[in-house]
Amino acid sequence: MQFPEYRPRRMRRSEGLRRMIRETRLSVDNLVYPLFICPGREVRRPISTMPGQSQVSVDQAVIEAKECLDLGIPAVILFGVPDDAKKDRVGSDAWHNDGLVQQACRAIKRACPELVVILDSCFDEYTSHGHCGVVMPEAGWPDVDNDATLENLGRVVVSQAKAGADLVAPSGMMDGFVTASREALDEAGYSHVGIMAYSAKYASCFYGPFRQAAGTASGFGHRKSYQMDPANSDEAIREAALDQDEGADVLMVKPALAYLDVIARLHEECDLPLAAYNVSGEYAMLKAAVEKGLVGEEQAVLEVLTSIRRAGAGIILTYHAKDAARWLAHSSR
Ligand code: PBG
């Protein structure tokens, strides 16, 4: 194909032609809306670092869930934001049968049985030190004890399955976390509950706004001994291959935007459905740019979400989900 015989602009002359050759479809089916569950009744605490998002009590989470269902969004993912008084060194409230996400899951499933509920299976919202597992300061440098954390993880995923979760999402980047989750679920009679594995979760600064909202800014150290080095992508393939072999149902890359190449590689090299988490810092940056009048919100959000879709993620966890669902209902994307 050569100019002047081939002129690519011919197929860009009208919206009809552009629609006909559009390669990537972004649909409401691709979206998952994250919710932060806090204690209390009729509570809505706006999150200052994430304009437009709030921490909500269980009753308000049900209202949010109904709204998602009405907008055609297929799934929500829930995070717990317990009071400091509930936190301890191992994060035991994470596996409480009446914990925040367990309660919220039951209430949402009662009100909207057809909405998919994903529960984030981690400890950092529940530990006094803010790390993603059992910390063993006795072992020298404060680090998370992998295998002790796996034992507790089994308890978490079973309590979440009991609450009616469709998918559990172990997010702590412990080695063997899919095996531990699968075995615990199967032993407890929940072989039908799926696992969305945070396969390639990077030690990223883009979680900042979420950590402020969830109160999980670690009191000491950092997470580089369990979350991945942003410089690596071969390692992401190895992590994903492990999760796939261990029985994961969905793989995830997190964050999304600075890691589109990683999403594309996993899409090429792995067989499982692929998710990407468009995290709080990515959301907050876009919102800040909109507020400054630098970009238009609808176009920016749909362009960003389309880029994640184009890279190969079929599932996008995003705080923009409700807005995007409304815009998509009125556009031809
Ligand atoms: C960890 C967790 C993180 C996020 C949600 N759960 C990452 C972290 O703090 O290490 C980040 C979500 C976001 O930034 O949107 N359980």
Side-chain angles (χ1 to χ4, degrees):
M1 280 193 306
Q2 261 186 356
F3 178 79
E5 289 76 25
Y6 180 58
R7 290 176 179 267
R9 287 186 55 194
R10 282 184 201 125
M11 291 304 285
R12 297 181 201 141
R13 286 181 56 238
S14 70
E15 183 53 18
L17 289 167
R18 290 190 291 272
R19 275 173 60 197
M20 286 170 68
I21 64 162
R22 189 157 291 145
E23 297 172 34
T24 306
R25 307 277 165 190
L26 178 67
S27 140
V28 69
D29 296 336
N30 301 121
L31 306 177
V32 178
Y33 187 57
L35 284 170
F36 303 118
I37 315 297
C38 66
R41 270 197 63 79
E42 293 184 16
V43 181
R44 273 182 180 267
R45 281 190 226 147
I47 302 170
S48 64
T49 53
M50 299 168 66
Q53 307 300 312
S54 297
Q55 297 178 355
V56 292
S57 53
V58 170
D59 54 301
Q60 300 298 300
V62 172
I63 296 172
E64 291 281 335
K66 283 184 184 150
E67 205 183 337
C68 287
L69 200 60
D70 289 344
L71 288 167
I73 296 169
V76 292
I77 180 165
L78 310 184
F79 298 92
V81 190
D83 287 336
D84 282 350
K86 294 265 184 198
K87 301 187 182 188
D88 62 25
R89 276 187 54 202
V90 296
S92 59
D93 210 47
W95 64 84
H96 200 294
N97 281 331
D98 279 321
L100 289 172
V101 293
Q102 288 85 351
Q103 278 184 46
C105 183
R106 282 195 185 91
I108 290 172
K109 277 292 181 185
R110 216 174 295 129
C112 320
E114 62 277 48
L115 187 71
V116 173
V117 179
I118 308 169
L119 296 186
D120 185 77
S121 317
C122 197
F123 298 96
D124 60 328
E125 294 95 357
Y126 300 92
T127 52
S128 43
H129 43 70
H131 278 286
C132 301
V134 178
V135 172
M136 295 289 186
E138 305 81 23
W141 190 82
D143 198 358
V144 175
D145 184 306
N146 196 87
D147 297 6
T149 301
L150 292 185
E151 228 170 275
N152 290 343
L153 178 61
R155 301 185 171 112
V156 173
V157 295
V158 169
S159 75
Q160 296 181 334
K162 255 185 215 165
D166 295 284
L167 296 171
V168 296
S171 61
M173 287 300 280
M174 295 301 121
D175 295 336
F177 69 178
V178 175
T179 297
S181 303
R182 189 69 273 156
E183 282 179 4
L185 289 171
D186 290 354
E187 260 168 45
Y190 296 103
S191 58
H192 57 285
V193 173
I195 298 174
M196 175 186 259
Y198 287 68
S199 301
K201 179 175 178 183
Y202 287 88
S204 167
C205 72
F206 294 112
Y207 310 139
F210 166 87
R211 287 189 189 167
Q212 284 180 44
T216 61
S218 321
F220 60 85
H222 48 70
R223 302 189 189 196
K224 294 180 192 173
S225 75
Y226 44 105
Q227 297 181 349
M228 274 182 54
D229 183 340
N232 295 354
S233 78
D234 292 344
E235 190 186 357
I237 301 298
R238 293 197 296 274
E239 281 278 8
L242 277 174
D243 291 350
Q244 193 161 302
D245 289 347
E246 291 179 28
D249 298 282
V250 180
L251 306 175
M252 196 202 294
V253 175
K254 178 180 179 175
L257 292 182
Y259 301 90
L260 292 175
D261 59 320
V262 178
I263 296 173
R265 278 195 71 184
L266 256 66
H267 177 61
E268 284 282 306
E269 298 184 33
C270 301
D271 291 329
L272 290 173
L274 184 60
Y277 201 136
N278 177 217
V279 299
S280 58
E282 300 171 337
Y283 175 83
M285 280 198 300
L286 192 151
K287 283 287 194 182
V290 169
E291 217 165 274
K292 286 197 162 210
L294 301 177
V295 294
E297 185 167 14
E298 173 173 345
Q299 225 188 322
V301 168
L302 295 180
E303 187 171 330
V304 157
L305 297 180
T306 298
S307 78
I308 300 171
R309 182 77 197 87
R310 191 187 64 235
I315 301 171
I316 306 173
L317 296 83
T318 178
Y319 306 101
H320 299 293
K322 290 196 297 180
D323 287 336
R326 284 185 204 104
W327 293 322
L328 286 170
H330 303 291
S331 87
S332 61
R333 259 165 213 267

